[in-house]
Amino acid sequence: MNFQKVSLQAGLYFVGVPIGTARDITLRALDVLASADILAAEDTRSLRHLMDIHAVPLAGRKVIAMHDHSKSEVAQRLVKEMSDGRSVAYASEAGMPLIADPGFELSRAAQEAGHMVTCAPGPSAVLTALVLAGLPTDAFHFCGFLPNTSSARRKALENLRETSATLVFYESPKRLVAMLEDAEAVLGQRSGAVCREMTKKFEETARGTLGELRDQFSNRTVKGEIVVLIDRNRSEKISETSLEEALQVALASHSLRDAVDMVAQAHDVPRRQVYQLALSVSKG
């Protein structure tokens, strides 16, 4: 038994929990889970299982579920418990609370009601992946999950194109290859990494260009939790005048399709943008 039951003042305690290996939990997190008056979780089964592993007793306490469909109602219920002088501990299904997790509404409601809000920090899939990826970490942009459809996904990636930071995404195994294809089409041949099942038995980190990563995973059945990281934009922005001049040179000796491909790749500009300009140039 590695935890201590401690006296907690009324308020909200966010608890960071492991992203895989159960032993990654901190002793302070166990203390909070053992001591809080009220327990709440994104996934009640995951929290109960974690507490069983570490022999933290529920001691008659129930674990209240808080998910996307119930977050507003549950948040108000938990705020009332705090107002009545009780301590509330909240845990995500995995990792740090509020990161792609419904706990934000609870945090805001507790703060607006004037309650103490604190955190027993723990593992984070985002930060762990940044350590493993081999990409710059001086600035990063967490993007969460991209949209499900290719058209919406490409539009979202277009909006991130000029971001001067490493891009970090959560992704579903079923959509991984499609996401890499769309990222390659929009962002070009940037370096990237796919981190899978971090801290677990089958942990894997694959590194390469977006095209290489797409090819690597296209013929595999992929399982587990996935984080995709993509290097920042490193190209100098080319003016439309210079782009037009480059197209005119390319069109003099190549078909429109080949000229567009050449210029888009050479200047790291979206093919769609170059194609629209090429139509204007060829008509002129």
Side-chain angles (χ1 to χ4, degrees), residues 61-284:
R61 297 171 298 172
K62 293 182 178 179
V63 183
I64 300 171
M66 183 171 186
H67 43 71
D68 285 329
H69 302 298
S70 68
K71 55 188 178 183
S72 296
E73 177 184 342
V74 173
Q76 292 306 313
R77 175 183 171 186
L78 294 175
V79 167
K80 184 179 185 305
E81 295 285 1
M82 296 174 218
S83 298
D84 291 340
R86 297 183 179 88
S87 56
V88 175
Y90 173 85
S92 297
E93 180 179 359
M96 283 290 287
L98 277 68
I99 311 300
D101 164 90
F104 169 72
E105 193 154 337
L106 173 59
S107 177
R108 182 171 56 185
Q111 293 179 47
E112 289 177 349
H115 296 298
M116 183 276 298
V117 177
T118 189
C119 179
S124 164
V126 174
L127 298 181
T128 304
L130 281 164
V131 171
L132 298 176
L135 295 172
T137 58
D138 58 314
F140 64 90
H141 182 77
F142 175 60
C143 311
F145 286 93
L146 287 167
N148 292 335
T149 65
S150 180
S151 58
R153 191 160 51 233
R154 291 193 178 203
K155 184 176 180 180
L157 287 164
E158 286 279 4
N159 293 334
L160 296 166
R161 198 174 190 285
E162 302 302 324
T163 303
S164 297
T166 296
L167 303 175
V168 185
F169 305 88
Y170 285 164
E171 193 49 87
S172 158
K174 295 180 180 179
R175 292 197 302 265
L176 175 61
V177 173
M179 181 268 187
L180 291 170
E181 288 177 348
D182 289 335
E184 180 187 13
V186 174
L187 303 176
Q189 285 300 344
R190 296 191 190 183
S191 296
V194 174
C195 299
R196 188 178 70 85
E197 292 290 84
M198 291 179 294
T199 79
K200 301 177 184 177
K201 181 178 180 180
F202 297 105
E203 178 180 302
E204 174 187 18
T205 299
R207 305 174 185 86
T209 66
L210 291 174
E212 290 169 344
L213 291 170
R214 177 207 61 217
D215 292 342
Q216 181 172 340
F217 287 98
S218 60
N219 295 316
R220 292 178 50 186
T221 299
V222 184
K223 297 181 180 180
E225 304 293 330
I226 292 173
V227 181
V228 178
L229 304 95
I230 301 175
D231 199 3
R232 67 189 61 185
N233 177 31
R234 296 182 178 275
S235 63
E236 293 185 8
K237 195 168 184 179
I238 185 172
S239 68
E240 187 165 316
T241 300
S242 298
L243 201 60
E244 185 174 333
E245 291 173 354
L247 272 170
Q248 289 173 337
V249 172
L251 286 167
S253 55
H254 295 82
S255 68
L256 186 142
R257 179 177 179 177
D258 289 343
V260 168
D261 288 340
M262 288 172 58
V263 172
Q265 185 170 359
H267 297 284
D268 195 22
V269 177
R271 189 183 187 282
R272 182 173 58 183
Q273 178 184 341
V274 179
Y275 179 74
Q276 293 298 324
L277 184 59
L279 291 178
S280 300
V281 170
S282 59
K283 288 178 181 177

